[in-house]
Every structure is written in C-alpha cells, then in structure tokens.
Amino acid sequence: MSDESDGPMWPPAMFKAFQETGEQAVEKQQELLKQMMGGGMSGMDMNQIGAMSQTATFKTRVQSGGRISIPDAEREALDIEEGDIVQTVVIPVKRNRSD
C-alpha cells in the first residue's frame, strides 16, 4: 500500500461544500414533508410537486461559450425537448487546468 491512498479522497474544502449541499437538500426535503403532512400543500402548485419527482444527475463537460449538454437518455426520460426551459445546479467535479 502506498501513502497516497491513505489520504483523503477530496480536498477538505470540496468535501465540506458537498456536505453542506447535502445537508441543505435534506433540510428542504424535511420542510416539504412537513408542508405536505400539515396540509400546507395549498402554497404549492401541482407542477412544482411533479417537477420534484423528475430529476436527473449526470456529469458533463463545459463546452465553448460555457455550454453544457444534457445526455440523450436524460432528455428522453424527462421528456425534454429543444427550446424547453430547465433548471440546473452546477457543482464543479474536476478541473483540467493548473491554477
């Protein structure tokens, strides 16, 4: 075994960012559940509820002009067509440059 494999897999700052993002997601899910159980659904429309069940997570490369592509399988599964408006959350995974 080498010493390299014994260290952390991600830099501490990146791990902390992932952890905070995960905690925020759990908080939002708990908040939604409380609203649903407490009859607070009146503030949400059915499109918002349906959209929450239709999500995809994938990795892609940033292309020229800052463009990203949604893979075919995700577009098909979510019935996304050209011209549709989608919401994205971007988390850098790996940088291919020297800082």
Side-chain angles (χ1 to χ4, degrees):
M1 292 182 115
S2 69
D3 289 335
E4 293 177 31
S5 63
D6 296 335
M9 199 156 94
W10 296 309
M14 183 181 283
F15 179 75
K16 184 175 180 180
F18 282 136
Q19 183 177 8
E20 288 173 357
T21 302
E23 289 171 357
Q24 290 171 359
V26 168
E27 287 173 9
K28 292 292 183 186
Q29 290 172 348
Q30 289 174 342
E31 186 179 308
L32 175 65
L33 184 59
K34 285 178 188 176
Q35 287 178 351
M36 290 171 58
M37 299 302 284
M41 293 294 285
S42 60
M44 299 183 72
D45 75 32
M46 293 309 289
N47 289 331
Q48 290 174 318
I49 295 169
M52 290 173 17
S53 66
Q54 295 181 344
T55 62
T57 302
F58 55 89
K59 293 181 178 92
T60 188
R61 292 196 182 274
V62 177
Q63 301 168 9
S64 65
R67 291 179 174 89
I68 60 172
S69 295
I70 302 171
D72 290 341
E74 277 73 16
R75 288 197 315 263
E76 275 186 37
L78 299 175
D79 192 28
I80 296 172
E81 296 178 358
E82 187 173 328
D84 289 351
I85 297 175
V86 298
Q87 182 172 339
T88 60
V89 176
V90 178
I91 302 172
V93 176
K94 179 181 175 186
R95 300 186 189 277
N96 290 332
R97 60 178 189 255
S98 60
D99 290 332

